[in-house]
Amino acid sequence: MKLLLTASGLRNATLRDALRDLLGKPFESANIVYVPTASVAEPGDHGWFVADMSRLHGLGWREFDVLELNGLPRQMVLDRLSHADVVYVEGGSHYHLARSITGNGLAEGFLEVLESRVYVGVSAGSMIFSRNLTEHSADVIGDAADLHVLGATTVEPPFGLFAWYLKPHLYSPDFPERDDAWADRIVERADFPIYFIDDDTAIRVSDDEVDVISEGRWRFHP
């Protein structure tokens, strides 16, 4: 399994090169499927969404598909995921994304697809692999309101591959409260490992190896 878990997409050459290495061929020879599901649960201006999608499309893929996880037959979703070389899952609400995967019965089939594809996550799309994506972590992180606004009090991790939790947008100007003091407060409450990454950083998973690639800053608390 090959995962590139970013905070804000392929924002710099280091992250783009990392994806190219995981893919093993030029972008123009590959199909990508873009999954916007998490973004639709976020209110307000979606200029960030348009900018990231445009940046990604500009890399020159052989085929650029767009796939919503809700409202389509399960097998159609899995077939479209399987047709891609790269599965790119956009940011937004990680709780809505997780509940879309589990609620539509996609978790097992999605993981099977990822055994032979490259996955790129953006923010919410990077957060759904932790087995600690639960209502407990929502309380620890302090974003339970984002779960409750969906009319839910619990969330089931769709994949549960890692014990560590990923929290994006450290030091981001779009999230000015996410500074070291904010991270320190979370660490004091947490009973699970956490990566905090900025918008120029990614966690790279290649089979059993996990490392950090970055042109920015990050923190890990085991």
Side-chain angles (χ1 to χ4, degrees), residues 18-198:
L19 175 56
R20 194 176 289 108
D21 289 343
L22 290 173
L23 183 59
K25 59 183 175 181
F27 296 151
E28 59 265 25
S29 300
N31 297 340
I32 191 168
V33 59
Y34 180 89
V35 179
T37 299
S39 69
V40 301
E42 287 293 308
D45 182 79
H46 274 59
W48 60 269
F49 170 87
V50 175
D52 191 48
M53 189 177 187
S54 298
R55 180 169 54 236
L56 181 66
H57 182 264
L59 296 179
W61 303 91
R62 179 174 61 190
E63 179 179 297
F64 190 100
D65 189 15
V66 177
L67 175 65
E68 168 56 44
L69 300 182
N70 293 295
L72 294 174
R74 174 181 178 276
Q75 194 56 52
M76 179 184 292
V77 171
L78 295 178
D79 288 346
R80 296 263 293 276
L81 292 172
S82 298
H83 181 67
D85 300 292
V86 177
V87 177
Y88 189 101
V89 180
E90 186 57 88
S93 169
H94 53 300
Y95 296 125
H96 177 63
L97 178 59
R99 295 175 77 235
S100 297
I101 293 169
T102 58
N104 290 307
L106 295 170
E108 182 178 355
F110 206 127
L111 272 183
E112 290 177 359
V113 168
L114 295 186
E115 290 176 2
S116 55
R117 280 27 177 218
V118 178
Y119 179 96
V120 180
V122 179
S123 193
S126 296
M127 299 173 69
I128 56 173
F129 291 91
S130 176
R131 65 181 67 114
N132 282 301
L133 178 59
T134 65
E135 58 274 14
H136 170 65
S137 65
D139 289 334
V140 169
I141 299 298
D143 61 8
D146 295 335
L147 178 59
H148 299 160
V149 77
L150 300 173
T153 57
T154 62
V155 60
E156 177 185 350
F159 303 132
L161 294 185
F162 311 117
W164 46 266
Y165 192 96
L166 189 154
K167 193 63 180 171
H169 308 304
L170 183 65
Y171 313 123
S172 172
D174 295 324
F175 299 87
E177 76 283 1
R178 297 192 185 184
D179 55 13
D180 283 317
W182 165 82
D184 290 341
R185 289 191 296 270
I186 292 174
V187 170
E188 288 177 1
R189 299 191 297 267
D191 53 0
F192 47 83
I194 306 179
Y195 282 99
F196 297 91
I197 65 172
D198 75 359

